[in-house]
Amino acid sequence: MFPELNNLLNTSPDSVEQGTLTLLCDAGTDGSFLVHHFLSFYLKANCKVCFVALVQSFSHYNVVGQKLGVSLTSARERGQLVFLEGLKSSVDVVLRAEAEPHPLGFLREAGAGNLQPLYEFVREALEPVDCREAAWRSPVLLVDDLSVLLGLGVGAVAVLDFIHYCRATVCCSLQGSIVALVHDSGDAEDEESDVLLNGLSHQSHLILRAEGLATGFCRDVHGQLRILWRRPSPPTAARRDRSLTFQYKIQDKSVSFFARGMSPAVL
Amino acid sequence: MLESVLALGGLVLLRDSVEWEGRSLLKALIKKSALRGEQVHVLGCEVSEEEFREGFDSSINSQLVYHDLFRDPLNWSKSPGPVTIALDSLSWLLLHLPCTTVCQTLHALSHQDSRPGDSSPVEHVHVLGLLHGELHGPGPMGTLSALARTEVTLSGTRSQASAHILYRRPQQRPTHETHWFSILSDFGVDLQGVSPLKSQPHPDPLTPPVDPTTHLTFNLHLSKKEKEAKDSLTLPFQFSSEKQQALLCRGLGQATSHIFYEPDAYDDLDQEDPDDDLDI
């Protein structure tokens, strides 16, 4: 996890907000550093994490995680991490017997895709098993990323339904959190992507949007991060700033954030 | 501001965006309506009931009727066991809605147990509908009758009620049963008997069976002697054992046949080539 990002979000592994949906969004740049941040953050916070990883292999996340101070291998072994490796298990879907339900079973279907088996997988992974109930803090669902599902032929509404059910179970029933990454392609013709992004935005409590600089690539400033807090629970007088924007630079083991125009390289 | 928004009545549209959410304003309008003494029905699809009710005090919450579509809108969590839906009455629905709508809804309700591609065991849905026979014409009655797998018609004689039950099992002929019954005060059923399966009309006991062989102008009966002669007759084309013996033993008293042949001078008796046409 990146301590500077924790400060900006006003969170720490000791005090984890529960029952929230955090939307990670990237436009014109790679927002996966946010995924690595939240993965290591929740593992350090002693939460039970179900990671639906559709984009990279387990070893990739493990290598980056080790730089950030967590070992995914040992987390998986002690039962804190349930890892669905999309790249590997998608081959299983094609090769295994058809009768057994598989979380990625929608790959075999001819229709618009039904993500109910994936939801059942998440539910079984995060629902507390009785004797070990007190072992972990709140459950967390992490998805990298949802735009891949659109590319695999699942409709935007089906993805929204999947997140809806995950919210009902993980956020409301189990008082856990969800973090999901969606790409904003910026393509005006990609309606499904827009529906997914906007639909999820309206349901989110926190939106982190990583954007590339409008002026193009820069060696010292890799992009801009916009933080939007939505839906404060009963509107109280003391509300945090609703929207903040920072620029960032990704380094080997950390990410540094600074106010716009205040990059150390410039000053 | 809230009062002017609510003043006109009808549909009030609240358009919000990701940056400026509208749910708080919706809840403020709900609070205003509730304080005016109106009952508020909420169709909740996007947030849970707890989250929606958060921030309202108890007096407002008691006036809020929340219809929960959030928890399980697509019925992914299978409700345990079979379900029974009772319609009291179908007649009322038929009088207020078009017959086609009622039939389509009934069909959809009663066929929920056959979802294609569903690997879970079949959940049985029972739909019980009460229909008043005198209210509807033969069209709606016939349509509903065709939709029903089991049809119970109530009638009776004098003081005894009877239920005529028609079963339409799939791929079998329809079967009937008639039960004589009465309903007890605790809604148990007291069966007094079952009538036999009505598959043919009962024969009329007044007319005795008529013997068609009487009063004929020809004789259909055989005397004893004629019967014996008939039984002992061998049919001409029937291969009986006597006939077999007669054919086989024909040559007993006769000599075996023999052929005498004297060849001419020009006869070339070559057994290998009797026709003399092989060109070797």
Side-chain angles (χ1 to χ4, degrees):
Chain A
M1 71 180 181
F2 310 126
E4 288 187 36
L5 184 54
N6 282 342
N7 293 336
L8 294 180
L9 297 176
N10 207 18
T11 60
S12 78
D14 303 319
S15 65
V16 171
E17 254 192 68
Q18 292 179 321
T20 57
L21 169 61
T22 302
L23 182 66
L24 309 175
C25 167
D26 60 14
T29 187
D30 183 13
S32 57
F33 70 96
L34 295 169
V35 174
H36 295 295
H37 163 82
F38 280 103
L39 177 61
S40 54
F41 173 81
Y42 282 115
L43 285 176
K44 280 190 182 166
N46 211 28
C47 295
K48 178 147 190 199
V49 177
C50 174
F51 189 7
V52 176
L54 303 172
V55 180
Q56 301 281 6
S57 65
F58 177 81
S59 49
H60 171 90
Y61 294 105
N62 196 22
V63 163
V64 179
Q66 276 167 358
K67 288 188 190 173
L68 300 182
V70 289
S71 164
L72 298 194
T73 322
S74 47
R76 190 163 63 169
E77 273 162 20
R78 61 177 182 259
Q80 188 188 6
L81 173 65
V82 177
F83 194 95
L84 174 65
E85 191 169 351
L87 292 174
K88 205 163 78 169
S89 56
S90 56
V91 180
D92 287 340
V93 172
V94 178
L95 293 180
R96 82 197 334 216
E98 226 181 286
E100 303 164 40
H102 189 280
L104 298 182
F106 63 87
L107 289 172
R108 290 194 82 127
E109 283 172 28
N114 174 16
L115 293 176
Q116 184 179 355
L118 186 59
Y119 158 70
E120 300 285 347
F121 170 83
V122 170
R123 189 177 56 83
E124 278 168 29
L126 291 179
E127 258 177 1
V129 181
D130 292 319
C131 51
R132 312 203 39 214
E133 201 173 309
W136 314 114
R137 218 189 234 158
S138 52
V140 174
L141 167 66
L142 186 58
V143 186
D144 179 19
D145 59 60
L146 289 173
S147 302
V148 165
L149 294 173
L150 290 184
L152 290 171
V154 182
V157 176
V159 181
L160 287 173
D161 288 338
F162 163 69
I163 292 291
H164 178 113
Y165 269 87
C166 289
R167 270 201 307 135
T169 305
V170 176
C171 293
C172 297
S173 302
L174 303 176
Q175 288 296 302
S177 304
I178 302 180
V179 180
L181 175 65
V182 178
H183 297 302
D184 184 3
S185 59
D187 185 4
E189 290 174 6
D190 193 348
E191 288 172 12
E192 292 269 290
S193 175
D194 284 341
V195 166
L196 179 61
L197 178 62
N198 291 324
L200 284 177
S201 302
H202 276 279
Q203 296 175 15
S204 309
H205 300 90
L206 174 65
I207 302 179
L208 299 179
R209 187 182 165 92
E211 297 165 346
L213 293 178
T215 45
F217 173 75
C218 170
R219 197 180 46 198
D220 299 304
V221 179
H222 290 149
Q224 188 165 284
L225 182 71
R226 205 161 148 256
I227 308 172
L228 177 64
W229 281 275
R230 291 189 78 250
R231 208 193 295 171
S233 39
T236 53
R239 269 161 59 165
R240 297 165 288 191
D241 288 346
R242 297 187 65 246
S243 167
L244 292 176
T245 307
F246 293 91
Q247 291 175 340
Y248 62 87
K249 178 178 178 182
I250 301 177
Q251 285 143 353
D252 182 43
K253 288 190 181 179
S254 67
V255 176
S256 57
F257 293 86
F258 34 87
R260 277 181 289 190
M262 307 288 273
S263 160
V266 172
L267 295 172
Chain B
M1 174 187 83
L2 295 177
E3 274 158 10
S4 59
V5 167
L6 292 173
L8 287 176
L11 174 65
V12 177
L13 197 61
L14 299 174
R15 280 166 66 170
D16 75 349
S17 62
V18 173
E19 292 224 28
W20 303 101
E21 54 91 24
R23 192 165 283 115
S24 311
L25 181 61
L26 177 67
K27 287 168 81 162
L29 288 169
I30 287 174
K31 180 177 174 182
K32 190 81 188 179
S33 301
L35 286 175
R36 292 199 300 201
E38 297 174 16
Q39 195 182 45
V40 181
H41 291 260
V42 179
L43 188 65
C45 314
E46 284 190 7
V47 296
S48 66
E49 185 171 354
E50 297 82 32
E51 194 174 335
F52 197 87
R53 287 186 185 271
E54 212 176 324
F56 287 134
D57 60 25
S58 54
S59 63
I60 296 176
N61 265 324
S62 58
Q63 284 172 273
L64 207 84
V65 180
Y66 192 88
H67 303 274
D68 191 355
L69 270 188
F70 172 76
R71 200 147 297 271
D72 191 8
L74 303 175
N75 199 27
W76 280 3
S77 64
K78 316 231 181 286
S79 45
V83 174
T84 298
I85 304 171
L87 298 168
D88 182 11
S89 63
L90 270 176
S91 286
W92 191 95
L93 292 173
L94 271 179
L95 290 174
H96 289 81
L97 296 170
C99 182
T100 47
T101 310
V102 176
C103 291
Q104 282 164 1
T105 313
L106 281 177
H107 183 90
L109 275 178
S110 56
H111 283 71
Q112 270 181 31
D113 56 353
S114 53
R115 260 174 295 184
D118 197 350
S119 57
S120 67
V122 168
E123 294 172 33
H124 288 286
V125 179
H126 293 111
V127 182
L128 309 171
L130 182 63
L131 189 67
H132 306 305
E134 302 94 340
L135 284 178
H136 309 287
M141 295 289 286
T143 320
L144 288 174
S145 178
L147 272 180
R149 286 236 185 108
T150 313
E151 200 177 325
V152 181
T153 307
L154 293 162
S155 60
T157 61
R158 286 182 287 267
S159 57
Q160 188 67 298
S162 75
H164 177 88
I165 309 178
L166 171 67
Y167 300 99
R168 277 202 199 85
R169 294 188 185 87
Q171 290 161 7
Q172 288 180 33
R173 289 178 62 216
T175 50
H176 306 247
E177 262 175 24
T178 304
H179 292 264
W180 302 90
F181 71 102
S182 59
I183 306 281
L184 307 170
S185 57
D186 63 350
F187 292 108
V189 176
D190 183 23
L191 288 174
Q192 271 108 32
V194 180
S195 281
L197 292 172
K198 275 204 282 184
S199 51
Q200 290 159 355
H202 291 297
D204 193 348
L206 289 175
T207 56
V210 173
D211 185 10
T213 56
T214 55
H215 308 302
L216 288 174
T217 55
F218 49 90
N219 186 20
L220 277 180
H221 299 288
L222 292 172
S223 68
K224 195 177 169 194
K225 207 174 158 193
E226 286 165 341
K227 270 192 199 150
E228 280 173 11
K230 180 187 166 191
D231 288 333
S232 61
L233 179 68
T234 51
L235 296 171
F237 298 105
Q238 193 175 351
F239 195 68
S240 61
S241 54
E242 290 98 347
K243 203 147 190 168
Q244 191 181 22
Q245 289 299 316
L247 284 172
L248 285 175
C249 300
R250 191 187 301 174
L252 254 180
Q254 298 167 8
T256 55
S257 56
H258 201 76
I259 297 176
F260 296 97
Y261 178 67
E262 285 179 10
D264 290 337
Y266 300 105
D267 259 339
D268 183 9
L269 279 176
D270 184 1
Q271 292 299 322
E272 302 265 308
D273 184 16
D275 295 322
D276 199 17
D277 55 3
L278 289 176
D279 186 11
I280 300 167

